[in-house]
Amino acid sequence: MAIRVNPGYIEVLDKFGAEDVQMCYQCGDCSTVCAHADDIFKFPRKSMRQLQMGLEEKLETSLEPWLCYYCGQCSEQCPREADPGETMMSLRRWLISRYDITGIANQFFNSRTREILTVLLIAVLTGIYLTFYGISGGSIHVYDGEGAFLPSSFIHTFDLTVGGIMFLFLWLGALRMWYFSMVKGMSIPVPWWLYFKKLYEIPFQFITQKRYAECENNGNSKLYMPWLVHFGLASGYSIMIILIMVFVEPLQAGPEIVWPLHIFGYLATIGLLIGCIYFVRQRIVKTKHVQYKKTHSTDWMFVILLIIITVSGIVQHILHRTGYLEAANITYVIHLMAVVPWLLRMPFSKWSHLIYRPMAMYFAEIQREAVVRQQKLVDPLSITIK
Amino acid sequence: MEKKKDKIGVYICNCGTNIAKVVDAEAVARYAATLPNVHLAKTYKYMCSNPGQEMIAEDIKENDLDRVVVAACSPNMHERTFRSALRMAGLNQYMLEMANIREQCSWVHKDRKAATKKAMALVSGAVQRVLKHEALESMSVDMNPSVLVIGGGIAGMTAALELADAGNFVHLVEKDDHLGGNIARVDLTAPYYYSAVDLLSERMTRTFEHKNIQVYLNSKLTELSGFVGNFAAKIQKQNGLSEDEAKAKEVAIGNVAICTGYKEFDASRVTHYGYGKLPNVITSFELENMLKSGKVETKEGKIPKYVAIVHCVGSRNKEFHTYCSRVCCMTALKYAHEIKSANPECYVSDVYIDMNAFGKGHEDFYRQSSKAKTLFLMYDKENRPVIHKAGPKDDCEMLIEVHERLSGEHIEIPADLVVLMVGMEARDDSHEIAHLTNISQDKDGWFIESHPKLEPVATTTDGVFIAGTCVAPKDIPDTVAQARAAAARILARISKGKIEIDAVFAEVNEDVCSGCRICNVMCPYSAIEFDEEKKKSHVISALCKACGVCVAACPSGAIKGRHFTDQQILAQIEGIFSKVEYSEPAEVS
Ligand SMILES: Cc1cc2nc3c(=O)[nH]c(=O)nc-3n(C[C@H](O)[C@H](O)[C@H](O)COP(=O)(O)OP(=O)(O)OC[C@H]3O[C@@H](n4cnc5c(N)ncnc54)[C@H](O)[C@@H]3O)c2cc1C
Ligand code: SF4
Ligand code: SF4
Ligand code: SF4
């Protein structure tokens, strides 16, 4: 059966940031230079092609976009300024909107106004709810313990609820990714035990981001800066989430500082701060790293919220420890007004790659082994991943 | 006065090591010195070099040599060089004979002994032959400055104007009722979007108004006789009404420029494209018409949402033509751009084999077309697309099925309008022109240039030049460049006033000629005419290429090939069969 080409699909991806994909003339330079492309996962050239031709189903079932870390080497090499790195990024955004069953991601990626309004709405609703709760059950003059404005046990439940919703959507998305890539897109059998054999990939990739470090260092410095920054940001992010979801009660108690616990909070805060500053600096002072040259509006929303969260978190912490309890309570409300939309937005934004990327790598490794196994069985040339 | 004994100088060239590696040149020289009449025999590293030529010239003067043998490469390579050495020394240039001991000896043999003996035999033959050589004088004829230009396309008009501006009279023959040729059918031109009408109109007006140009519309050349410098051409008006018009006009000219162009490939010959059956499959020229009228739409009057352009229709495959038509790739890009800018909602797919963007500005043009979001799809030469009607549920009129090479997928492309990029073909009547002017055509019908690299506008018939797309497919800039080149070649000859004709040609001894006319039909260059009054054949020396066919054919032995007389050839054969001895010298370590 012939696959229908859709010459108009390129316009759809345009909204997700793939503005230059039409320039590609398939020379393959990009795939040659990419540290992650290989015989089985041929990108970015192949993905560029599928996008140009509007082969929606092929794209939807492909894992290739997740194997790209946007080191930008390909975009630097491309003789046609087709920006393959940015195309892979755009495909990730598009895939996120595909994995998302609610259609929210699609709305966010396609309309900046809608995204801002939604974030504002959630922030305001959170603010109203918390203020109402605080006034009805406690006093603005009390920060913790009896009669607290926002008691830590309440916050704990609140955090878990919001976090639960977030994770629910993320895992729903990951499930759809599995369905697309491992069921719909596979033309060869996948032995069930491969899922177990490759399971270590998930935590391994999640923690080390090892493949990112494999991206070619331009030879300028020993440490690959984007990887380091990304590592700092990701660990800060993860530690914070664990602290908030599990240890929020001892964390919030005060005013004494519980060093074995708080030290993690401080480290994570520093990580996040550095990450934010680096993100903003790279985009304002345009650098040699191509991956920072283009920024989708949704990326800014993430960083702005994160900055508000980090700064308000620090301020609230200081105010609490120095005894300005009313101010600390108000800052806490502001802090949570940023935290809630930020967390809820996660599954619908680029940052869901936190889950999707390790999952995709896990699936990709399973696919790879399935293909190699099949190749040994039949004629090597007849193998395809749909 | 008693004829003094002939003195021959023999020169054996080493050609670096090309000859000396296999042939013992010294031994050949020693052997040559023993031959009768040989006054001296020498070897030299490169005989064709300036010192080599000077050595020969000095020897001629000092030793009073009157014949020279050079044993070296093929005469095709250096006969002219050594002839000029003889002239330099004041000797008639035909007193030279070359023995080819490179291409016909050292390059094709390995055995040193046998090769050396063969070289000796060849030298012996040359020595015997040169003794029979006669001093010949080359002739010169007057050049008629008028020119006949056939074809009034961009090539013909350009050549005519160039020649006429230089003060020469031009007869421009065009078979259509208007000038302009195929470009008159084009809207804008690739890659700079110059309007074709603008390119043509100034030229057309100037051609019609030029006092040195006579334009013959609806006319054809019906006969060309004579030879370079002095042709007579008959021009016949087609469908002439009056009696006066029906009579062919005869004009005298010195040179001919053929600019008869091309015709487009007939798309209905490719059956699986459905041209002529599917209403919205059109050719590039039909699209040009739409573009001219400013409306690109389907037969039903709808604006197409999907347009597909198919490349190489009739070109680059074994079934039709194997060559590339050279202009259609850029023309297709032009269409993609024009369609998209006329209707931004429209998606253009460009279905190609290779994108041949070789010319100035072409790669940038290709880049621009990518920018405009043209979808480029690559197919295989041997696996052509198939066009069929779409189903009722599809959002398009037709579907093009093809194996897409860059993705490796078997795909179908939606289309409401399909444009077939028809290639170029030699015109149906091109063989008539070839026959009348005595030039050759290749297997595809294009006229053959006398050298594909170094003589792109000359032909093997002296005084007949070719330019533009009648030689091979090309775009406007290349066509114009060739037209100007042909004009420049003609102008150079006109400015000389006379032309030199080589003294080597066939001659009929009228006393012996029986008037059988066998030679008349044998001559591949139509160089023999029959004198009806004397009932004798006569060779037009300016047309004769000295191939010798008539000499061999004449049953009465009445024709002599000058410089290739029977005596000369027999003497050479005798020389070659003379006994030669050679024993290899002991190996020197
Ligand atoms: C669809 C299409 C689009 C094109 N677009 C472009 C473009 O955008 N840019 C570009 O550079 N090139 C373009 N070309 C190429 C362009 O058409 C040619 O380069 C150009 O026409 C060649 O000119 P010519 O004078 O050699 O031949 P022609 O234009 O064919 O002119 C030959 C003339 O000779 C006459 N003739 C033929 N036989 C005889 C005879 N026996 N006796 C008397 N007269 C005779 C014909 O009637 C004609 O007038 C295009 C070609 C095609 C097919
Ligand atoms: S950005 Fe880097 S990792 Fe991504 S496709 Fe390009 S070269 Fe590969
Ligand atoms: S390097 Fe650029 S033009 Fe070449 S295949 Fe990659 S994206 Fe396309
Ligand atoms: S110019 Fe292009 S379309 Fe025309 S024959 Fe050549 S390759 Fe084919």
Side-chain angles (χ1 to χ4, degrees), chain B residues 310-316 323-332 351-358 379 421-424:
Chain B
V310 180
H311 285 227
C312 302
V313 178
S315 311
R316 307 186 64 203
Y323 55 81
C324 161
S325 291
R326 267 176 81 113
V327 296
C328 9
C329 273
M330 290 307 109
T331 310
V351 193
Y352 70 108
I353 299 176
D354 294 291
M355 188 55 67
N356 284 350
F358 51 85
Y379 73 93
M421 298 308 300
V422 288
M424 297 191 190

PDB file of all heavy atoms in Angstrom, chain B residues 310-316 323-332 351-358 379 421-424, ligand 4:
ATOM      1  N   VAL B 310       6.185  16.900 -12.760  1.00  0.00           N
ATOM      2  CA  VAL B 310       6.958  15.683 -13.001  1.00  0.00           C
ATOM      3  C   VAL B 310       8.099  15.982 -13.974  1.00  0.00           C
ATOM      4  O   VAL B 310       7.868  16.477 -15.081  1.00  0.00           O
ATOM      5  CB  VAL B 310       6.065  14.555 -13.556  1.00  0.00           C
ATOM      6  CG1 VAL B 310       6.883  13.294 -13.802  1.00  0.00           C
ATOM      7  CG2 VAL B 310       4.920  14.267 -12.600  1.00  0.00           C
ATOM      8  N   HIS B 311       9.306  15.685 -13.546  1.00  0.00           N
ATOM      9  CA  HIS B 311      10.491  15.980 -14.362  1.00  0.00           C
ATOM     10  C   HIS B 311      10.788  14.888 -15.391  1.00  0.00           C
ATOM     11  O   HIS B 311      10.269  13.786 -15.298  1.00  0.00           O
ATOM     12  CB  HIS B 311      11.727  16.067 -13.455  1.00  0.00           C
ATOM     13  CG  HIS B 311      11.792  17.323 -12.653  1.00  0.00           C
ATOM     14  ND1 HIS B 311      12.930  18.069 -12.555  1.00  0.00           N
ATOM     15  CD2 HIS B 311      10.865  17.958 -11.914  1.00  0.00           C
ATOM     16  CE1 HIS B 311      12.706  19.104 -11.764  1.00  0.00           C
ATOM     17  NE2 HIS B 311      11.453  19.061 -11.357  1.00  0.00           N
ATOM     18  N   CYS B 312      11.696  15.220 -16.293  1.00  0.00           N
ATOM     19  CA  CYS B 312      12.307  14.245 -17.222  1.00  0.00           C
ATOM     20  C   CYS B 312      11.265  13.480 -18.034  1.00  0.00           C
ATOM     21  O   CYS B 312      11.370  12.262 -18.167  1.00  0.00           O
ATOM     22  CB  CYS B 312      13.187  13.255 -16.481  1.00  0.00           C
ATOM     23  SG  CYS B 312      14.513  14.005 -15.549  1.00  0.00           S
ATOM     24  N   VAL B 313      10.271  14.167 -18.556  1.00  0.00           N
ATOM     25  CA  VAL B 313       9.273  13.482 -19.381  1.00  0.00           C
ATOM     26  C   VAL B 313       9.830  13.335 -20.801  1.00  0.00           C
ATOM     27  O   VAL B 313       9.987  14.318 -21.519  1.00  0.00           O
ATOM     28  CB  VAL B 313       7.929  14.235 -19.365  1.00  0.00           C
ATOM     29  CG1 VAL B 313       6.926  13.540 -20.272  1.00  0.00           C
ATOM     30  CG2 VAL B 313       7.418  14.346 -17.950  1.00  0.00           C
ATOM     31  N   GLY B 314      10.169  12.114 -21.135  1.00  0.00           N
ATOM     32  CA  GLY B 314      10.789  11.848 -22.440  1.00  0.00           C
ATOM     33  C   GLY B 314      12.298  11.942 -22.409  1.00  0.00           C
ATOM     34  O   GLY B 314      12.958  11.621 -23.390  1.00  0.00           O
ATOM     35  N   SER B 315      12.840  12.406 -21.283  1.00  0.00           N
ATOM     36  CA  SER B 315      14.290  12.534 -21.187  1.00  0.00           C
ATOM     37  C   SER B 315      14.836  11.495 -20.209  1.00  0.00           C
ATOM     38  O   SER B 315      14.117  11.021 -19.340  1.00  0.00           O
ATOM     39  CB  SER B 315      14.692  13.914 -20.664  1.00  0.00           C
ATOM     40  OG  SER B 315      14.032  14.924 -21.365  1.00  0.00           O
ATOM     41  N   ARG B 316      16.076  11.187 -20.360  1.00  0.00           N
ATOM     42  CA  ARG B 316      16.830  10.365 -19.418  1.00  0.00           C
ATOM     43  C   ARG B 316      16.250   8.987 -19.172  1.00  0.00           C
ATOM     44  O   ARG B 316      16.223   8.535 -18.033  1.00  0.00           O
ATOM     45  CB  ARG B 316      16.981  11.113 -18.082  1.00  0.00           C
ATOM     46  CG  ARG B 316      17.544  12.491 -18.245  1.00  0.00           C
ATOM     47  CD  ARG B 316      17.803  13.142 -16.925  1.00  0.00           C
ATOM     48  NE  ARG B 316      18.819  12.419 -16.196  1.00  0.00           N
ATOM     49  CZ  ARG B 316      18.964  12.467 -14.878  1.00  0.00           C
ATOM     50  NH1 ARG B 316      18.166  13.194 -14.161  1.00  0.00           N
ATOM     51  NH2 ARG B 316      19.928  11.807 -14.297  1.00  0.00           N
ATOM     52  N   TYR B 323      19.313  11.319 -23.149  1.00  0.00           N
ATOM     53  CA  TYR B 323      19.984  12.553 -22.711  1.00  0.00           C
ATOM     54  C   TYR B 323      19.103  13.372 -21.765  1.00  0.00           C
ATOM     55  O   TYR B 323      17.906  13.154 -21.659  1.00  0.00           O
ATOM     56  CB  TYR B 323      20.385  13.399 -23.922  1.00  0.00           C
ATOM     57  CG  TYR B 323      19.226  13.714 -24.856  1.00  0.00           C
ATOM     58  CD1 TYR B 323      18.334  14.749 -24.570  1.00  0.00           C
ATOM     59  CD2 TYR B 323      19.027  12.974 -26.014  1.00  0.00           C
ATOM     60  CE1 TYR B 323      17.281  15.043 -25.405  1.00  0.00           C
ATOM     61  CE2 TYR B 323      17.968  13.251 -26.862  1.00  0.00           C
ATOM     62  CZ  TYR B 323      17.099  14.283 -26.549  1.00  0.00           C
ATOM     63  OH  TYR B 323      16.057  14.564 -27.369  1.00  0.00           O
ATOM     64  N   CYS B 324      19.744  14.326 -21.109  1.00  0.00           N
ATOM     65  CA  CYS B 324      19.041  15.273 -20.237  1.00  0.00           C
ATOM     66  C   CYS B 324      18.724  16.516 -21.062  1.00  0.00           C
ATOM     67  O   CYS B 324      19.552  16.981 -21.825  1.00  0.00           O
ATOM     68  CB  CYS B 324      19.939  15.623 -19.055  1.00  0.00           C
ATOM     69  SG  CYS B 324      19.500  17.142 -18.190  1.00  0.00           S
ATOM     70  N   SER B 325      17.521  17.037 -20.909  1.00  0.00           N
ATOM     71  CA  SER B 325      17.119  18.200 -21.708  1.00  0.00           C
ATOM     72  C   SER B 325      17.583  19.532 -21.116  1.00  0.00           C
ATOM     73  O   SER B 325      17.306  20.602 -21.657  1.00  0.00           O
ATOM     74  CB  SER B 325      15.609  18.208 -21.919  1.00  0.00           C
ATOM     75  OG  SER B 325      15.260  17.143 -22.771  1.00  0.00           O
ATOM     76  N   ARG B 326      18.236  19.466 -20.026  1.00  0.00           N
ATOM     77  CA  ARG B 326      18.992  20.579 -19.446  1.00  0.00           C
ATOM     78  C   ARG B 326      18.228  21.780 -18.917  1.00  0.00           C
ATOM     79  O   ARG B 326      18.710  22.452 -18.032  1.00  0.00           O
ATOM     80  CB  ARG B 326      20.037  21.103 -20.432  1.00  0.00           C
ATOM     81  CG  ARG B 326      21.371  20.442 -20.241  1.00  0.00           C
ATOM     82  CD  ARG B 326      22.333  20.915 -21.296  1.00  0.00           C
ATOM     83  NE  ARG B 326      22.893  22.209 -20.947  1.00  0.00           N
ATOM     84  CZ  ARG B 326      24.157  22.401 -20.657  1.00  0.00           C
ATOM     85  NH1 ARG B 326      24.984  21.384 -20.643  1.00  0.00           N
ATOM     86  NH2 ARG B 326      24.615  23.602 -20.380  1.00  0.00           N
ATOM     87  N   VAL B 327      17.093  22.126 -19.485  1.00  0.00           N
ATOM     88  CA  VAL B 327      16.433  23.339 -18.996  1.00  0.00           C
ATOM     89  C   VAL B 327      15.227  23.048 -18.107  1.00  0.00           C
ATOM     90  O   VAL B 327      14.778  23.914 -17.370  1.00  0.00           O
ATOM     91  CB  VAL B 327      15.956  24.271 -20.138  1.00  0.00           C
ATOM     92  CG1 VAL B 327      17.123  24.783 -20.926  1.00  0.00           C
ATOM     93  CG2 VAL B 327      14.963  23.580 -21.027  1.00  0.00           C
ATOM     94  N   CYS B 328      14.697  21.828 -18.183  1.00  0.00           N
ATOM     95  CA  CYS B 328      13.420  21.581 -17.516  1.00  0.00           C
ATOM     96  C   CYS B 328      13.507  21.608 -15.994  1.00  0.00           C
ATOM     97  O   CYS B 328      12.534  21.974 -15.340  1.00  0.00           O
ATOM     98  CB  CYS B 328      12.780  20.298 -18.014  1.00  0.00           C
ATOM     99  SG  CYS B 328      13.816  19.309 -19.060  1.00  0.00           S
ATOM    100  N   CYS B 329      14.651  21.235 -15.418  1.00  0.00           N
ATOM    101  CA  CYS B 329      14.752  21.288 -13.956  1.00  0.00           C
ATOM    102  C   CYS B 329      14.545  22.717 -13.453  1.00  0.00           C
ATOM    103  O   CYS B 329      13.754  22.963 -12.539  1.00  0.00           O
ATOM    104  CB  CYS B 329      16.109  20.771 -13.480  1.00  0.00           C
ATOM    105  SG  CYS B 329      16.148  18.988 -13.235  1.00  0.00           S
ATOM    106  N   MET B 330      15.260  23.653 -14.076  1.00  0.00           N
ATOM    107  CA  MET B 330      15.135  25.042 -13.621  1.00  0.00           C
ATOM    108  C   MET B 330      13.765  25.611 -13.979  1.00  0.00           C
ATOM    109  O   MET B 330      13.198  26.414 -13.238  1.00  0.00           O
ATOM    110  CB  MET B 330      16.244  25.915 -14.225  1.00  0.00           C
ATOM    111  CG  MET B 330      17.615  25.597 -13.670  1.00  0.00           C
ATOM    112  SD  MET B 330      17.667  25.626 -11.861  1.00  0.00           S
ATOM    113  CE  MET B 330      17.841  23.900 -11.503  1.00  0.00           C
ATOM    114  N   THR B 331      13.236  25.180 -15.128  1.00  0.00           N
ATOM    115  CA  THR B 331      11.905  25.641 -15.507  1.00  0.00           C
ATOM    116  C   THR B 331      10.881  25.152 -14.479  1.00  0.00           C
ATOM    117  O   THR B 331       9.968  25.885 -14.101  1.00  0.00           O
ATOM    118  CB  THR B 331      11.564  25.129 -16.915  1.00  0.00           C
ATOM    119  OG1 THR B 331      12.644  25.448 -17.778  1.00  0.00           O
ATOM    120  CG2 THR B 331      10.319  25.771 -17.442  1.00  0.00           C
ATOM    121  N   ALA B 332      11.072  23.903 -14.003  1.00  0.00           N
ATOM    122  CA  ALA B 332      10.156  23.361 -12.998  1.00  0.00           C
ATOM    123  C   ALA B 332      10.215  24.189 -11.717  1.00  0.00           C
ATOM    124  O   ALA B 332       9.180  24.488 -11.114  1.00  0.00           O
ATOM    125  CB  ALA B 332      10.514  21.904 -12.717  1.00  0.00           C
ATOM    126  N   VAL B 351       8.452  16.331  -8.541  1.00  0.00           N
ATOM    127  CA  VAL B 351       8.832  14.920  -8.591  1.00  0.00           C
ATOM    128  C   VAL B 351       9.963  14.765  -9.608  1.00  0.00           C
ATOM    129  O   VAL B 351       9.737  14.867 -10.808  1.00  0.00           O
ATOM    130  CB  VAL B 351       7.614  14.065  -8.992  1.00  0.00           C
ATOM    131  CG1 VAL B 351       7.889  12.600  -8.734  1.00  0.00           C
ATOM    132  CG2 VAL B 351       6.377  14.503  -8.229  1.00  0.00           C
ATOM    133  N   TYR B 352      11.163  14.538  -9.112  1.00  0.00           N
ATOM    134  CA  TYR B 352      12.337  14.605  -9.979  1.00  0.00           C
ATOM    135  C   TYR B 352      13.208  13.363  -9.862  1.00  0.00           C
ATOM    136  O   TYR B 352      13.012  12.532  -8.978  1.00  0.00           O
ATOM    137  CB  TYR B 352      13.157  15.844  -9.625  1.00  0.00           C
ATOM    138  CG  TYR B 352      13.850  15.735  -8.271  1.00  0.00           C
ATOM    139  CD1 TYR B 352      15.222  15.555  -8.194  1.00  0.00           C
ATOM    140  CD2 TYR B 352      13.117  15.784  -7.093  1.00  0.00           C
ATOM    141  CE1 TYR B 352      15.851  15.427  -6.961  1.00  0.00           C
ATOM    142  CE2 TYR B 352      13.744  15.660  -5.868  1.00  0.00           C
ATOM    143  CZ  TYR B 352      15.109  15.478  -5.809  1.00  0.00           C
ATOM    144  OH  TYR B 352      15.720  15.341  -4.600  1.00  0.00           O
ATOM    145  N   ILE B 353      14.193  13.266 -10.769  1.00  0.00           N
ATOM    146  CA  ILE B 353      15.164  12.154 -10.685  1.00  0.00           C
ATOM    147  C   ILE B 353      16.433  12.668 -10.029  1.00  0.00           C
ATOM    148  O   ILE B 353      16.920  12.136  -9.049  1.00  0.00           O
ATOM    149  CB  ILE B 353      15.492  11.584 -12.082  1.00  0.00           C
ATOM    150  CG1 ILE B 353      14.239  11.035 -12.742  1.00  0.00           C
ATOM    151  CG2 ILE B 353      16.555  10.503 -11.961  1.00  0.00           C
ATOM    152  CD1 ILE B 353      14.456  10.542 -14.164  1.00  0.00           C
ATOM    153  N   ASP B 354      17.004  13.717 -10.632  1.00  0.00           N
ATOM    154  CA  ASP B 354      18.118  14.446 -10.035  1.00  0.00           C
ATOM    155  C   ASP B 354      17.819  15.906 -10.279  1.00  0.00           C
ATOM    156  O   ASP B 354      17.217  16.241 -11.279  1.00  0.00           O
ATOM    157  CB  ASP B 354      19.448  14.139 -10.748  1.00  0.00           C
ATOM    158  CG  ASP B 354      19.883  12.703 -10.565  1.00  0.00           C
ATOM    159  OD1 ASP B 354      20.230  12.354  -9.448  1.00  0.00           O
ATOM    160  OD2 ASP B 354      19.874  11.961 -11.562  1.00  0.00           O
ATOM    161  N   MET B 355      18.251  16.766  -9.377  1.00  0.00           N
ATOM    162  CA  MET B 355      18.040  18.182  -9.621  1.00  0.00           C
ATOM    163  C   MET B 355      19.284  18.713 -10.331  1.00  0.00           C
ATOM    164  O   MET B 355      20.343  18.840  -9.731  1.00  0.00           O
ATOM    165  CB  MET B 355      17.813  18.896  -8.285  1.00  0.00           C
ATOM    166  CG  MET B 355      17.406  20.334  -8.436  1.00  0.00           C
ATOM    167  SD  MET B 355      15.959  20.613  -9.455  1.00  0.00           S
ATOM    168  CE  MET B 355      14.680  19.876  -8.453  1.00  0.00           C
ATOM    169  N   ASN B 356      19.144  18.967 -11.615  1.00  0.00           N
ATOM    170  CA  ASN B 356      20.305  19.428 -12.368  1.00  0.00           C
ATOM    171  C   ASN B 356      20.373  20.943 -12.359  1.00  0.00           C
ATOM    172  O   ASN B 356      19.861  21.621 -13.239  1.00  0.00           O
ATOM    173  CB  ASN B 356      20.253  18.874 -13.797  1.00  0.00           C
ATOM    174  CG  ASN B 356      20.645  17.404 -13.811  1.00  0.00           C
ATOM    175  OD1 ASN B 356      21.111  16.885 -12.796  1.00  0.00           O
ATOM    176  ND2 ASN B 356      20.478  16.750 -14.925  1.00  0.00           N
ATOM    177  N   ALA B 357      21.024  21.453 -11.320  1.00  0.00           N
ATOM    178  CA  ALA B 357      21.121  22.905 -11.136  1.00  0.00           C
ATOM    179  C   ALA B 357      22.552  23.325 -11.371  1.00  0.00           C
ATOM    180  O   ALA B 357      23.226  23.800 -10.480  1.00  0.00           O
ATOM    181  CB  ALA B 357      20.658  23.280  -9.731  1.00  0.00           C
ATOM    182  N   PHE B 358      23.022  23.161 -12.610  1.00  0.00           N
ATOM    183  CA  PHE B 358      24.460  23.302 -12.858  1.00  0.00           C
ATOM    184  C   PHE B 358      24.882  24.724 -13.179  1.00  0.00           C
ATOM    185  O   PHE B 358      26.031  25.070 -13.046  1.00  0.00           O
ATOM    186  CB  PHE B 358      24.859  22.381 -14.013  1.00  0.00           C
ATOM    187  CG  PHE B 358      23.948  22.592 -15.207  1.00  0.00           C
ATOM    188  CD1 PHE B 358      24.205  23.592 -16.110  1.00  0.00           C
ATOM    189  CD2 PHE B 358      22.815  21.815 -15.349  1.00  0.00           C
ATOM    190  CE1 PHE B 358      23.343  23.811 -17.165  1.00  0.00           C
ATOM    191  CE2 PHE B 358      21.959  22.031 -16.406  1.00  0.00           C
ATOM    192  CZ  PHE B 358      22.222  23.030 -17.313  1.00  0.00           C
ATOM    193  N   TYR B 379      12.429  10.274  -7.636  1.00  0.00           N
ATOM    194  CA  TYR B 379      12.092   8.944  -8.138  1.00  0.00           C
ATOM    195  C   TYR B 379      13.238   8.358  -8.933  1.00  0.00           C
ATOM    196  O   TYR B 379      14.197   9.051  -9.272  1.00  0.00           O
ATOM    197  CB  TYR B 379      10.791   8.969  -8.938  1.00  0.00           C
ATOM    198  CG  TYR B 379      10.834   9.595 -10.317  1.00  0.00           C
ATOM    199  CD1 TYR B 379      11.072   8.823 -11.451  1.00  0.00           C
ATOM    200  CD2 TYR B 379      10.601  10.947 -10.493  1.00  0.00           C
ATOM    201  CE1 TYR B 379      11.066   9.384 -12.719  1.00  0.00           C
ATOM    202  CE2 TYR B 379      10.602  11.519 -11.760  1.00  0.00           C
ATOM    203  CZ  TYR B 379      10.840  10.735 -12.865  1.00  0.00           C
ATOM    204  OH  TYR B 379      10.839  11.290 -14.111  1.00  0.00           O
ATOM    205  N   MET B 421       7.091  17.938 -17.420  1.00  0.00           N
ATOM    206  CA  MET B 421       8.218  18.701 -17.946  1.00  0.00           C
ATOM    207  C   MET B 421       8.742  18.002 -19.196  1.00  0.00           C
ATOM    208  O   MET B 421       9.645  17.167 -19.115  1.00  0.00           O
ATOM    209  CB  MET B 421       9.321  18.819 -16.893  1.00  0.00           C
ATOM    210  CG  MET B 421       8.916  19.537 -15.639  1.00  0.00           C
ATOM    211  SD  MET B 421       8.154  21.151 -15.911  1.00  0.00           S
ATOM    212  CE  MET B 421       9.432  22.036 -16.747  1.00  0.00           C
ATOM    213  N   VAL B 422       8.141  18.346 -20.326  1.00  0.00           N
ATOM    214  CA  VAL B 422       8.532  17.669 -21.566  1.00  0.00           C
ATOM    215  C   VAL B 422       9.926  18.117 -22.003  1.00  0.00           C
ATOM    216  O   VAL B 422      10.277  19.284 -21.923  1.00  0.00           O
ATOM    217  CB  VAL B 422       7.522  17.925 -22.703  1.00  0.00           C
ATOM    218  CG1 VAL B 422       6.248  17.152 -22.439  1.00  0.00           C
ATOM    219  CG2 VAL B 422       7.233  19.408 -22.847  1.00  0.00           C
ATOM    220  N   GLY B 423      10.695  17.157 -22.435  1.00  0.00           N
ATOM    221  CA  GLY B 423      12.069  17.438 -22.849  1.00  0.00           C
ATOM    222  C   GLY B 423      12.155  17.975 -24.263  1.00  0.00           C
ATOM    223  O   GLY B 423      11.142  18.257 -24.910  1.00  0.00           O
ATOM    224  N   MET B 424      13.372  18.143 -24.744  1.00  0.00           N
ATOM    225  CA  MET B 424      13.583  18.651 -26.092  1.00  0.00           C
ATOM    226  C   MET B 424      13.955  17.507 -27.029  1.00  0.00           C
ATOM    227  O   MET B 424      14.627  16.566 -26.620  1.00  0.00           O
ATOM    228  CB  MET B 424      14.741  19.649 -26.088  1.00  0.00           C
ATOM    229  CG  MET B 424      14.506  20.881 -25.249  1.00  0.00           C
ATOM    230  SD  MET B 424      15.801  22.081 -25.603  1.00  0.00           S
ATOM    231  CE  MET B 424      15.484  23.279 -24.315  1.00  0.00           C
TER     232      MET B 424
HETATM  233  S1  SF4 C   4      16.912  19.210 -16.917  1.00  0.00           S
HETATM  234 FE1  SF4 C   4      16.061  18.097 -15.196  1.00  0.00          FE
HETATM  235  S2  SF4 C   4      13.952  17.614 -15.805  1.00  0.00           S
HETATM  236 FE2  SF4 C   4      15.063  18.155 -17.641  1.00  0.00          FE
HETATM  237  S3  SF4 C   4      15.751  16.210 -18.471  1.00  0.00           S
HETATM  238 FE3  SF4 C   4      17.424  17.058 -17.241  1.00  0.00          FE
HETATM  239  S4  SF4 C   4      17.154  16.174 -15.233  1.00  0.00           S
HETATM  240 FE4  SF4 C   4      15.231  15.867 -16.342  1.00  0.00          FE
END
